[in-house]
Amino acid sequence: MKVSAIFLSLSFLATTAGAQKNAPQPIAPCPSPQQVAWQKMETYAFVHYGLNTFNDSEWGYGDADPKTFNPSRMDVEQWVRTLKAAGMKGVIIVAKHHDGFAMWPSPLTDYNITRSSYDGPKNKDGKVDVLAELRKACDKYDLKMGIYLSPWDRNHAEYGRQAYVDYYHRQLTQLVTEYGPLFEVWLDGANGGDGYYGGARETRKIDRRNYYDFPKIHSIINEHQPEAIIFSDGGPGCRWVGNERGEAGIPNWSFLKKDKVYPGMPNSEVLQNGFPDGDIWVAAECDVSIRPGWFYHPEEDSKVKTPEQLADIYYRSVGRNATFLLNFPIDREGRVNAIDSTNAVRFRRIIDQDFKKNLLRKAKVTASSERDKAFSARKLNDGKWDTFWATPDGVTTGSVTFTFGKPTRLNRLLLQEYIPLGQRVGKFVAEAFIDGRWTPIDPGEPFGNIGYKRILRFATIETTALRISFLEGRGPLCINNIEAYLAP
Ligand code: FUL
C-alpha cells in the first residue's frame, strides 16, 4: 500500500469514528447491517413464471403436464435489462410455486424444467436451468438475485408428512448453495389445502406454525447465505405488509412481537402498521403485481397498472417506511411483456422527475437543540447517510427550520431517520411559513411516523420557510436527512 493510501484510509476511519463519537445510544430493536442495506434497495422485482403461465392458472394443482411449458422466444437477459431500466435493484424469481414445478433441474423431483418443452441455454451439466440463466444475466447487468421457494407443494406425494419437510429442506439447501449470493429468500404463507399430491387428489392440512420446522429453514439459509434477508409474514428478515395492494399503513413501525407472528398467521392486517412496542426489527415489504394476477394471462393485457398508478404505489410503500416489490408476470413468449416494460420504465421516469432537485440543499438550517457540533442540524442537508442530527440525551422532541433565500415552491417532503440506531419518531408535523403564519402542510393523509423513509405529497405551496416538529420520540432524535422537491 502506498503511503498516501494509508493516510487516506486512516483519515477516513478517523472521520467516521469521530462522527459516531458521543452518538445517542441505540434503542432496541435495531436492524442488522444486512437489513439496513436491504431497505436501501427500496424497489426490486418479482418474476412469476412457470406452468401456470401456460395453463392460465394462478395456483396450479401440481398435475399440469410439464410439456405445456413451451416459451417461443424466451430471453432472460431481456427480463434483467427491463428491470434495470425500471430502476429495480434486484429480482426475486419464483423457483417453485405451490404447484411444485421446479424451474431448475432439481435432482429431487421429476417435476422440473428438464421435462418441459423448453430448449434454451444449458447449464454446466448440459441441462436447461432458468435459475442459472437468471444468475448469469444478473451478474452481467449487476442486479441482485433472490428466490421464492413455496413451502406448500401440491405435487409432492408426501406433502403433510415428515418426508416432504426433509425434501423441502434439501431443495432449499441446493438453491442456497448453487446459485450464488442471494439478497432475499421468500417464504410464502399460503399453506395446505387440496392438491394432486402424487395422484392422491385430496385435501391436506398442516400445522402452520410447526410443520415446516422454520428454525431449521432459517439455519440453512443463515449458514449458506448470511447476507440474505428472509421474508415471511413474520420475518425474521422482513415482513409481509398484510395486503397485496402495495400499501403500507400509517404509522408503519419496523417492529414485530416475536411470539405473535409466523408465516400464514391469521389477522395479518396488523402487519400494515407493525407494533410500536415490538421486540424484533422486521421492516415491511409491499408486494404487488403490475397486473391483477401474479402469473401472465392474455386477457390482463388491458389491465396493466399505469406509470401513474405505479408511482402512487411507490409513495404508499417506499414513502411509508417499506420496500416496494413489484411483480412482473413473464408472458408465454418468455419475456417481460412490452406493455409491462413500457409502463415500468415510465414509472421510473416519473420518480426520477419528482425527486430531481432537493430544494433544501441550500436553505439555512436551525434546530431547537442539538447534541453537539458533530450532530448539528446542518448534517440534515449534507446528503450523506451516516452523518445525522441528534438531540441531547433526555430530549425526545424538537424542531428543525429551513429558511429559503426567496419564496420557494414545493410539493414533496422526504424525511429519514438514522435507523442503525433504531426507529424513534412517533409523531411529527410539517408547517410552511405562508402569509406571515406557520400553516401545517396538507398531505391528505396522517403524517404518521418516519423510520427509514417517509415521503409526503401535497398541493404546491410557495413559502419562505419550512418547519418540521418532532412531537414524540422513543429517545433522543436521530434524523439523518430531510429533503423537499417540486414535482412536475
Ligand atoms: C401468495 C401466493 O399464493 C401467490 O400466488 C403469489 O405467489 C404471492 C406473491 O404470494 O401468497
Side-chain angles (χ1 to χ4, degrees), residues 46 48 59 97-98 148 186 188 190 244 287 294:
F46 234 161
H48 275 67
W59 279 14
H97 202 249
H98 313 328
Y148 168 122
W186 224 85
D188 186 73
E244 292 180 342
D287 61 322
W294 293 98

Side-chain angles (χ1 to χ4, degrees), residues 66-71 113-120:
K67 286 274 174 258
T68 55
F69 185 94
N70 188 17
I113 191 78
T114 62
R115 301 289 165 125
S116 76
S117 307
Y118 179 47
D119 188 24

Side-chain angles (χ1 to χ4, degrees), residues 232-254:
S232 83
D233 292 357
C238 68
R239 72 175 198 259
W240 187 41
V241 76
N243 67 72
E244 292 180 342
R245 299 187 304 275
E247 180 174 273
I250 305 174
N252 178 15
W253 292 98
S254 293

Side-chain angles (χ1 to χ4, degrees), residues 205-437:
K205 281 213 170 78
I206 53 132
D207 167 0
R208 295 178 167 214
R209 214 172 179 143
N210 301 307
Y211 174 59
Y212 298 111
D213 192 352
F214 283 109
K216 172 95 193 254
I217 291 177
H218 299 165
S219 76
I220 293 172
I221 299 169
N222 291 336
E223 181 186 345
H224 301 288
Q225 299 275 349
E227 301 300 313
I229 294 299
I230 303 175
F231 164 97
S232 83
D233 292 357
C238 68
R239 72 175 198 259
W240 187 41
V241 76
N243 67 72
E244 292 180 342
R245 299 187 304 275
E247 180 174 273
I250 305 174
N252 178 15
W253 292 98
S254 293
F255 315 146
L256 290 181
K257 291 187 178 172
K258 197 170 191 311
D259 297 326
K260 287 224 161 146
V261 289
Y262 57 95
M265 62 186 247
N267 306 329
S268 48
E269 321 76 63
V270 296
L271 298 173
Q272 303 185 75
N273 302 99
F275 297 87
D277 54 348
D279 50 11
I280 43 172
W281 182 283
V282 193
E285 172 184 89
C286 298
D287 61 322
V288 57
S289 186
I290 195 165
R291 290 165 175 249
W294 293 98
F295 285 90
Y296 179 81
H297 309 283
E299 67 279 11
E300 292 182 355
D301 283 351
S302 58
K303 295 184 182 146
V304 181
K305 290 189 176 67
T306 62
E308 292 73 22
Q309 285 172 320
L310 295 173
D312 188 48
I313 293 174
Y314 173 91
Y315 282 103
R316 291 168 190 273
S317 54
V318 176
R320 294 180 185 171
N321 187 34
T323 59
F324 178 8
L325 169 54
L326 178 60
N327 176 61
F328 294 80
I330 301 302
D331 69 12
R332 291 181 185 166
E333 290 192 331
R335 300 172 159 246
V336 175
N337 193 267
I339 310 168
D340 310 35
S341 104
T342 308
N343 290 7
V345 172
R346 290 201 179 132
F347 144 72
R348 180 55 57 179
R349 271 191 217 134
I350 295 178
I351 298 302
D352 289 347
Q353 284 296 323
D354 284 4
F355 298 95
K356 209 161 174 185
K357 188 172 169 219
N358 175 12
L359 299 166
L360 298 188
R361 202 61 191 258
K362 295 214 170 109
K364 187 173 151 246
V365 200
T366 54
S368 53
S369 70
E370 48 197 31
R371 201 169 177 85
D372 58 37
K373 245 168 119 187
F375 298 97
S376 139
R378 256 172 303 140
K379 307 273 177 194
L380 288 171
N381 57 5
D382 71 1
K384 292 186 195 137
W385 168 252
D386 47 7
T387 63
F388 51 93
W389 167 63
T391 53
D393 286 340
V395 179
T396 60
T397 59
S399 67
V400 188
T401 306
F402 296 89
T403 315
F404 302 108
K406 54 173 195 292
T408 302
R409 280 152 47 87
L410 29 110
N411 55 21
R412 297 283 186 279
L413 180 64
L414 182 156
L415 302 111
Q416 293 189 280
E417 285 187 76
Y418 186 65
I419 55 165
L421 297 179
Q423 182 179 1
R424 298 163 181 247
V425 175
K427 255 190 191 159
F428 73 99
V429 67
E431 299 156 297
F433 198 68
I434 301 171
D435 297 333
R437 290 193 294 136

Side-chain angles (χ1 to χ4, degrees), residues 433-488:
F433 198 68
I434 301 171
D435 297 333
R437 290 193 294 136
W438 285 110
T439 319
I441 63 168
D442 179 12
E445 62 187 23
F447 283 93
N449 58 353
I450 303 178
Y452 166 73
K453 194 173 266 191
R454 176 80 176 108
I455 310 173
L456 304 167
R457 293 177 281 182
F458 43 94
T460 304
I461 52 168
E462 189 172 273
T463 180
T464 50
L466 199 61
R467 180 169 74 188
I468 325 291
S469 302
F470 303 95
L471 308 173
E472 269 174 25
R474 296 170 65 242
L477 303 166
C478 295
I479 308 289
N480 98 304
N481 185 33
I482 303 181
E483 300 173 356
Y485 293 88
L486 180 62

